[in-house]
Amino acid sequence: MIVMDGRRVAAELKADLAARVERLGGVGLGTILVGSDPASSLYVNGKHRDSAQVGISSIRVELPETVTTEQIIAEVRRLNADTSCTGFIVQLPLPQHVDTEAVIEAMDPRKDVDGLHPLNLGRLAGQVRGELDIPIPCTPRGIIALGRYYGLDWDGANVCVVGQGETAGRPLGIVASRESVGASVDLCHLKTRNLADHTLAADIVVSATGAGHLVTPEMIRPGAAVFDVGIKRVTDPTTGKSKVMGDVAPGVEDVAGWLSPNPGGVGPMTRAMLLANVVDAKERNA
């Protein structure tokens, strides 16, 4: 069984990105963080640490939980106009009282380095073949690249994606079925009937639901590739400390031919692909 080490691949990608940033100069990543959710703060801090490693400057906007949709949109427009900001993200999820769609739609699509603006998603879905001149959503881009690094052949593969989230499952279905990747995609979710029938028929299983240990060894065809993407935080009743639980249950490693673990698999690749999208945006808009 091949362990697909996202940290190793991300480190190689960062070395290449650092060289590109040095040639370009003046590359900046902006983030908008609303509230003090520990997980969101951790993610944003990690993105800025990654940026510093490759020479990308940081532009941080932090807003209180009580902020209005209009106040967030005002900050979005400020970053749209900021020439030092090559691209930026709005850290999701936003508080329930905020109109998330309105915030995302206010972004300049050219600076949307998460690839979540409806114009970018529409172009991604509508352009089946040829080179893309838009940001590809970071998690799908990272999954495809990680598999290819370890010799996984996506062309013609049967791929079962479990999860329909806006940052992973849904866009992965689009990216994997493009001509340049060439996979046949079965897009499932937590309400899919007889889910094991779908996963057992797949050459590649990607689970991104956040339902801890959803995918068990009995659901995987021997030799298949498995990407553990979903994250659930659980508290140890003895110590009171929280830890990350992935979608993939223990024992799958004894059946699979490839395994992207969680943590250490897709997560580092997602962060690296965010940096890649920023650098791509600089080159594209120069």
Side-chain angles (χ1 to χ4, degrees), residues 51-134:
S51 296
Q53 290 172 3
V54 301
I56 295 175
S57 61
S58 292
I59 304 163
R60 304 183 69 144
V61 178
E62 298 183 1
L63 301 170
E65 185 85 16
T66 55
V67 71
T68 65
T69 299
E70 292 71 24
Q71 289 171 321
I72 301 174
I73 289 176
E75 293 297 331
V76 166
R77 290 174 175 158
R78 186 177 65 81
L79 291 180
N80 285 344
D82 186 349
T83 55
S84 69
C85 177
T86 307
F88 66 98
I89 67 161
V90 178
Q91 181 64 35
L92 301 178
L94 293 171
Q96 290 187 350
H97 70 274
V98 173
D99 186 341
T100 299
E101 290 184 4
V103 170
I104 299 300
E105 288 176 6
M107 298 178 71
D108 181 341
R110 295 170 298 179
K111 290 192 173 186
D112 162 38
V113 289
D114 257 343
L116 298 180
H117 190 282
L119 182 61
N120 289 330
L121 286 174
R123 288 175 174 169
L124 179 67
Q127 189 176 337
V128 178
R129 54 188 60 86
E131 293 295 324
L132 290 167
D133 60 353
I134 57 171

Side-chain angles (χ1 to χ4, degrees), residues 1-5 149-152 224-226 253 256-261:
M1 195 272 297
I2 297 173
V3 177
M4 295 182 283
D5 185 351
Y149 183 93
Y150 283 98
L152 193 59
V226 180
E253 67 275 8
W258 290 261
L259 176 64
S260 171

Side-chain angles (χ1 to χ4, degrees), residues 1-6 146-147 150 152 205 207 215 220 223-229 247-266:
M1 195 272 297
I2 297 173
V3 177
M4 295 182 283
D5 185 351
L146 181 60
Y150 283 98
L152 193 59
V205 176
S207 189
V215 178
I220 300 300
V226 180
F227 290 82
D228 189 356
V229 181
D247 277 14
V248 175
V252 168
E253 67 275 8
D254 297 327
V255 181
W258 290 261
L259 176 64
S260 171
N262 191 351
V266 173

